[in-house]
Amino acid sequence: MEMYRSRTDALTTAVGDGRPIVFAHGTLMDRTMFAPQLEALRDEYRAVAYDLRARTDRYAPAYDLWDLADDCAAVLDGIGEDSAVIAGMSMGGFMALRFALEYPDRVDGLVLIDSMATPHTPDERAVYGDLVEPLAGSLDPTPRELADGVTDFLFGETTREEHPELVATWVDRWATYPGAAVYHELHSWLDRTDVTDRLSEIDVPVLIVHGAEDPSIDPSRAEPMLEELPDAEMELIPGAGHTANLEGPDETNDTIRTFLDERF
């Protein structure tokens, strides 16, 4: 965690001035996935995206979402902010919910992108666990066939058909990751507990953004959070899958910008 205080220049991209919003990426992604959001917000907000452990030299040890929440707190320390709006995509959203529970005084609001409060089903955990099991302990790059194979989890049908170049760019990147990094990244959330019964504690404005074509977490699995969170709203991004902010950047940017402008 110390590196997030001492090396934030190597782990973060920060633009603009104003109220801070900090972006945390999902599994297999990195901070560059939020480039459209940083560009859209930089005129009035301090927008910051950072690399979680699996994209750094801290990937090797086992860790969980609560450890990642501690890292997020260290990022805030490193950028000199007492609190921020925390925006998390998928795994980043799982972390953001726990960050809000562990550090309530440091959260101004949440943006949850293609995420949910409930755990994955036993069948899903078995599928994901089997998928990365060959990567355990490997420092070799992630096999290309595995990188190609997970595109159906990360991108919606429209994106795969109409924007194959976006998919190909990320496949190329995934195939450079050390296998162990991907293994530990996935296992940081695979067996997480359900936090639904604690959502009432998160008494800040929450925006739920979800791809209408999300193949990994159907929008219906995010909707129950609207009933449990004290102050939440939800927007679907048409034609977008699990990486809604990349697949539908204009709609996502408009949604986040409206939320920030109206609530903060």
Side-chain angles (χ1 to χ4, degrees):
M1 188 170 69
E2 181 61 30
M3 72 180 301
Y4 287 86
R5 295 193 174 93
S6 61
R7 286 186 45 209
T8 52
D9 58 324
L11 297 164
T12 63
T13 300
V15 299
D17 296 299
R19 178 180 289 275
I21 176 168
V22 173
F23 291 89
H25 61 78
T27 300
L28 291 177
M29 310 306 286
D30 63 28
R31 71 181 188 265
T32 67
M33 76 170 302
F34 297 114
Q37 287 69 57
L38 267 57
E39 183 60 31
L41 297 173
R42 65 185 302 157
D43 60 332
E44 287 190 22
Y45 296 91
R46 187 184 188 196
V48 180
Y50 73 99
D51 284 339
L52 278 68
R53 287 192 188 193
R55 302 290 86 80
T56 75
D57 55 11
R58 288 291 298 275
Y59 64 79
Y63 57 90
D64 63 17
L65 292 166
W66 298 100
D67 294 321
L68 293 180
D70 292 340
D71 290 348
C72 187
V75 169
L76 290 187
D77 293 343
I79 63 174
E81 297 288 356
D82 292 332
S83 64
V85 175
I86 306 297
M89 174 261 169
S90 191
M91 173 185 72
F94 307 156
M95 180 283 297
L97 288 171
R98 288 157 179 81
F99 181 84
L101 294 170
E102 189 72 12
Y103 298 94
D105 295 337
R106 307 200 71 175
V107 178
D108 300 327
L110 293 178
V111 178
L112 304 174
I113 303 169
D114 294 284
S115 199
M116 61 181 176
T118 53
H120 283 83
T121 67
D123 286 348
E124 287 172 324
R125 294 201 297 272
V127 168
Y128 290 134
D130 289 346
L131 190 66
V132 300
E133 188 59 33
L135 305 180
S138 173
L139 299 183
D140 294 330
T142 296
R144 182 82 188 196
E145 57 269 26
L146 191 152
D148 279 324
V150 298
T151 57
D152 289 353
F153 294 104
L154 273 293
F155 298 101
E157 183 178 357
T158 297
T159 297
R160 295 196 303 272
E161 292 180 355
E162 298 182 5
H163 300 286
E165 73 289 345
L166 174 65
V167 177
T169 295
W170 282 97
V171 170
D172 288 344
R173 190 168 302 185
W174 299 338
T176 69
Y177 297 163
V182 175
Y183 177 87
H184 289 303
E185 181 174 41
L186 188 136
H187 278 279
S188 72
W189 53 259
L190 190 62
D191 295 317
R192 69 191 184 281
T193 57
D194 193 342
V195 293
T196 302
D197 62 351
R198 295 193 62 190
L199 294 184
S200 61
E201 300 173 34
I202 303 177
D203 195 13
V204 295
V206 179
L207 171 65
I208 300 167
V209 181
H210 218 96
E213 297 180 5
D214 188 336
S216 294
I217 299 177
D218 189 87
S220 63
R221 302 173 77 177
E223 289 170 357
M225 293 190 291
L226 292 169
E227 299 298 320
E228 302 296 335
L229 289 161
D231 183 2
E233 57 190 274
M234 182 172 179
E235 292 289 340
L236 287 180
I237 306 301
H242 193 57
T243 57
N245 63 293
L246 269 178
E247 300 175 66
D250 293 341
E251 296 89 343
T252 300
N253 292 344
D254 289 346
T255 297
I256 294 176
R257 184 62 181 257
T258 298
F259 172 71
L260 294 175
D261 289 351
E262 291 182 353
R263 302 308 304 273
F264 303 99

